[in-house]
């Protein structure tokens, strides 16, 4: 439990990314008494356009910097005397982790330990009302078979370099709690979707490809299952856990919303046909089964009972509502899509999907 009523300096890392930008916006609006510092190095996934509507807020500051830069962290922690850290900065895409695991070791593990050190040192004398909040993923638990759900007690069993790096960072956070008494909370959340999602992940990539009439590369047999949560519901859960969660605890966050990839893609195609005034069945013709992802986890599903019972959190929108909001956002923000898909994106797309034999060309209507 941390106080909301007084002025506090809060550091949010990765605030220019997908989830981070929703968290920054929510905190700026809900807590005008806080000063929000958004620390982000602006990798390909970081985009200040995500925060255009709030960047003039008097209680907002952007700090461009790298969580791998210990000196920089030391300086900003001393200067701004943060009361809380909400840590989202990470390399976040599984496919990239297969191509370049070390980038994930650096940012996700070493970067997290750097932040833990800076927080431990700053709060050494006084831990009262201080909190290190580490944002993690359900992928640390590995994969489920057809049955069962991940709980907070499920043993860690990561399968991808991404999930292994997140699992490692979770262990460091826990260890700093045990060893140095650093007050922390961790949440492990399922797959998010919504506005500002970089189009390398399934839903925004497929929305973009449908708009451009490009193939929709479904990995393997498409029967992999994920639990999807609307990003603003994740931001609401983060707000709640940051303020009302208990120190040294982990909470799972999920959407109560499991979908096999192929069923999700078919629903997306149907909604996109309606939004684009295309004949029903047009977009689903773009579905192309491609070479599978190595080590592909079969199924993720979250038991979010603890956060529900202890803190009263539940998702506020259904999947259909959230998907519609998401599609509308992408169609209304074509300029955002154009900006993020120019330059290096094309290179990434060609490399990643050429390996899977996906044609780069739009399919003529
Ligand atoms: P994202 O890739 O959209 O954003 C990551 C942000 O971190 C970017 O703005 C990037 O510039 C910044 N960043 C990366 N390396 C940095 C560094 N060295 N120093 C400073 N900033 C750096 O990621 P996201 O999807 O918004 O995920 C945010 C967090 O939530 C991650 O920790 C991720 O593991 C976790 N998470 C994501 C999901 C999901 O579905 N996207 C689900 C559960 C948990
Ligand atoms: P993704 O959005 O990358 O999230 P994660 O791997 O972290 O769950 O992928 C979601 C699911 O969609 C996953 O089972 C992999 C699959 N997928 C495809 O079938 N095709 C694609 O082009 C992408 C990016 C993902």
């Amino acid at each position: 439990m941390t106080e909301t009523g007084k002025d506090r300096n809060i550091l949010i890392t990765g605030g220019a990314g997908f989830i981070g930008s929703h968290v920054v916006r929510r905190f700026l609006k809900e807590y005008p008494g806080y000063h929000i510092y958004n620390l982000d190095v602006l990798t390909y996934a970081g985009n200040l356009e995500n925060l255009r509507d709030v960047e003039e807020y008097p209680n907002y500051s952007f700090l461009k910097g790298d969580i791998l830069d210990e000196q920089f962290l030391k300086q900003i922690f001393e200067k701004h005397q943060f009361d809380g850290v909400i840590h989202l900065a990470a390399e976040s895409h599984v496919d990239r982790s297969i191509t370049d695991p070390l980038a994930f070791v650096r940012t996700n593990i070493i970067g997290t330990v750097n932040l833990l050190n800076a927080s431990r040192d700053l709060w050494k004398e006084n831990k009262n009302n201080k909190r290190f909040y580490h944002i993690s993923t359900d992928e640390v638990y590995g994969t489920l078979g057809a049955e069962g759900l991940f709980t907070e007690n499920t043993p860690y069993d990561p399968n991808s370099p991404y999930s292994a790096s997140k699992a490692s960072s979770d262990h460091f956070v826990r260890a700093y709690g045990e060893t140095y008494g650093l007050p922390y909370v961790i949440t492990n959340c399922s797959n998010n979707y919504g506005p500002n999602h970089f189009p390398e992940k399934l839903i925004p990539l497929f929305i973009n490809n449908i708009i451009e009439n490009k193939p929709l590369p479904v990995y393997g047999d498409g029967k992999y299952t994920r639990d999807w949560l609307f990003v603003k519901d994740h931001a609401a859960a983060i707000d709640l856990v940051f303020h009302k969660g208990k120190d040294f605890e982990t909470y799972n966050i999920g959407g109560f919303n499991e979908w096999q990839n192929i069923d999700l893609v078919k629903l997306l195609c149907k909604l996109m046909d309606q939004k684009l005034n295309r004949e029903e069945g047009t977009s689903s013709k773009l579905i192309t089964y491609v070479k599978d992802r190595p080590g592909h986890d079969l199924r993720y599903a979250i038991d979010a009972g603890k956060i529900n019972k202890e803190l009263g959190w539940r998702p506020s929108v259904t999947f259909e509502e959230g998907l519609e909001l998401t599609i509308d956002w992408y169609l209304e923000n074509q300029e955002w899509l154009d900006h993020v898909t120019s330059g290096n994106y094309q290179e990434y797309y060609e490399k990643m999907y050429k390996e899977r034999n996906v044609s780069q060309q739009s399919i003529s209507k």
Side-chain angles (χ1 to χ4, degrees):
M1 189 98 149
T2 51
E3 287 173 34
T4 55
K6 71 185 210 38
D7 290 349
R8 302 173 81 204
N9 286 345
I10 308 294
L11 176 69
I12 299 181
T13 71
F18 166 48
I19 302 170
S21 61
H22 289 277
V23 176
V24 167
R25 178 178 297 99
R26 184 176 175 103
F27 272 67
L28 285 172
K29 292 192 171 180
E30 296 284 323
Y31 305 104
Y34 289 0
H35 197 101
I36 303 299
Y37 294 87
N38 169 16
L39 160 58
D40 200 301
V41 76
L42 301 180
T43 65
Y44 76 92
N47 183 353
L48 289 177
E49 280 182 48
N50 294 345
L51 291 164
R52 278 285 177 264
D53 56 319
V54 290
E55 66 188 2
E56 300 296 334
Y57 274 47
N59 58 334
Y60 173 68
S61 302
F62 175 62
L63 305 171
K64 186 169 190 300
D66 195 329
I67 57 170
L68 290 169
D69 184 344
E70 290 171 75
Q71 274 315 311
F72 171 75
L73 293 184
K74 196 169 174 334
Q75 277 166 17
I76 61 166
F77 273 72
E78 271 169 17
K79 183 165 179 203
H80 303 298
Q81 299 286 311
F82 301 121
D83 300 289
V85 175
I86 305 179
H87 175 37
L88 297 109
E91 289 292 339
S92 67
H93 189 35
V94 173
D95 291 330
R96 286 185 194 255
S97 81
I98 296 168
T99 316
D100 183 10
L102 270 178
F104 287 68
V105 172
R106 287 187 205 102
T107 292
N108 298 0
I109 307 177
I110 300 173
T112 300
V113 175
N114 285 341
L115 283 165
L116 287 168
N117 283 339
S119 307
R120 177 201 58 194
D121 294 349
L122 180 66
W123 301 336
K124 201 160 35 194
E125 307 300 336
N126 180 9
K127 297 183 180 61
N128 186 29
N129 210 26
K130 307 290 188 280
R131 172 157 280 181
F132 188 97
Y133 183 174
H134 181 59
I135 308 296
S136 193
T137 165
D138 60 353
E139 305 192 23
V140 299
Y141 298 123
T143 188
L144 292 163
E147 301 287 318
L149 299 171
F150 296 135
T151 73
E152 288 79 2
N153 297 321
T154 303
Y156 276 32
D157 192 16
N159 291 316
S160 72
Y162 165 65
S163 53
S165 68
K166 291 297 290 186
S168 174
S169 64
D170 292 10
H171 291 319
F172 271 102
V173 175
R174 226 177 284 264
Y176 272 58
E178 288 293 325
T179 309
Y180 307 108
L182 185 86
Y184 75 82
V185 277
I186 300 175
T187 50
N188 296 84
C189 187
S190 63
N191 287 57
N192 285 215
Y193 69 97
N196 308 98
H197 205 184
F198 191 81
E200 62 183 354
K201 309 277 171 67
L202 180 74
I203 291 178
L205 180 83
F206 279 31
I207 290 175
N208 187 43
N209 283 14
I210 291 171
I211 294 171
E212 295 191 354
N213 262 301
K214 282 186 170 173
L216 305 177
V218 173
Y219 296 168
D221 62 4
K223 301 224 164 115
Y224 297 90
T225 300
R226 299 289 182 263
D227 170 11
W228 294 92
L229 176 67
F230 191 55
V231 64
K232 292 186 189 186
D233 281 330
H234 189 191
I238 290 173
D239 180 350
L240 196 60
V241 171
F242 183 69
H243 292 104
K244 302 266 164 52
K246 289 198 203 105
D247 279 341
F248 312 115
E249 290 276 333
T250 285
Y251 300 84
N252 282 350
I253 305 173
F256 304 92
N257 179 40
E258 280 184 56
W259 284 79
Q260 274 196 351
N261 290 343
I262 190 62
D263 295 333
L264 187 166
V265 170
K266 284 181 181 160
L267 173 63
L268 188 64
C269 287
K270 189 173 136 204
L271 293 173
M272 288 295 288
D273 283 344
Q274 288 166 7
K275 296 279 176 190
L276 295 168
N277 292 320
R278 292 181 183 169
E279 196 184 318
E280 193 172 337
T282 309
S283 300
S284 60
K285 290 199 190 103
L286 299 170
I287 293 172
T288 312
Y289 289 92
V290 302
K291 195 168 136 210
D292 212 346
R293 170 188 281 173
H296 198 165
D297 285 331
L298 179 66
R299 178 169 163 259
Y300 304 143
I302 283 270
D303 176 350
K306 179 176 171 182
I307 187 171
N308 176 245
K309 282 191 204 81
E310 291 187 13
L311 304 180
W313 176 87
R314 266 200 83 78
S316 70
V317 294
T318 65
F319 193 45
E320 283 76 3
E321 286 165 348
L323 257 191
E324 207 173 325
L325 288 167
T326 305
I327 293 169
D328 287 345
W329 186 86
Y330 280 91
L331 293 176
E332 283 158 18
N333 289 274
Q334 191 66 49
E335 203 184 334
W336 182 95
L337 254 185
D338 291 344
H339 288 173
V340 302
T341 54
S342 59
N344 291 343
Y345 179 81
Q346 298 302 338
E347 219 174 281
Y348 163 81
Y349 190 83
E350 271 156 40
K351 184 170 177 298
M352 196 60 82
Y353 289 94
K354 208 165 162 183
E355 281 169 11
R356 296 196 154 95
N357 296 321
V358 180
S359 155
Q360 311 302 310
Q361 302 303 315
S362 294
I363 295 167
S364 53
K365 288 171 221 166

